[in-house]
């Protein structure tokens, strides 16, 4: 248990942010998985914009690193371009 009142508050806020970050990370991973499972190019292009927006939001809020988001967007764009 914390000895200081500020440490007690920090534990509460850390717990709240941990739950928020975990759900956002799970949503992001599910969106990436769903995009990679799409068979046709037309639906993949529309899904790519939504996934890249999710990646940008996750990078802005510190859930993932911004270079990680950039790398994922680049690889996904290449994946969608190679779809038949």
């Amino acid at each position: 248990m914390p000895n200081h009142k500020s440490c007690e508050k920090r534990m509460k806020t850390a717990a709240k942010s941990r739950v928020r970050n975990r759900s956002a990370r799970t949503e992001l991973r599910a969106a990436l998985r769903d995009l990679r499972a799409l068979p046709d190019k037309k639906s993949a292009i529309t899904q790519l914009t939504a996934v890249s927006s999710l990646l940008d939001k996750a990078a802005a809020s510190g859930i993932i690193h911004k270079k990680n988001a950039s790398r994922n967007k680049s690889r996904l764009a290449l994946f969608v371009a190679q779809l038949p």
Side-chain angles (χ1 to χ4, degrees):
M1 280 314 284
N3 294 324
H4 301 284
K5 194 167 189 170
S6 60
C7 294
E8 196 172 323
K9 180 181 177 182
R10 193 68 191 132
M11 280 180 59
K12 282 191 227 177
T13 58
K16 286 180 188 176
S17 65
R18 183 169 44 250
V19 169
R20 192 180 318 117
N21 290 342
R22 180 174 287 176
S23 68
R25 199 176 308 121
T26 303
E27 181 186 357
L28 179 64
R29 286 179 181 158
L32 291 169
R33 194 168 43 245
D34 293 344
L35 176 61
R36 289 203 178 271
L38 291 175
D40 61 332
K41 194 172 199 168
K42 189 172 183 178
S43 62
I45 289 173
T46 58
Q47 185 76 12
L48 179 63
T49 58
V51 171
S52 56
S53 173
L54 276 175
L55 283 165
D56 286 334
K57 287 178 186 176
S61 62
I63 295 170
I64 60 172
H65 197 271
K66 84 176 174 181
K67 288 190 179 184
N68 185 350
S70 177
R71 181 174 63 243
N72 272 311
K73 289 195 308 187
S74 175
R75 288 179 182 173
L76 287 173
L78 184 65
F79 170 78
V80 169
Q82 291 175 347
L83 281 175

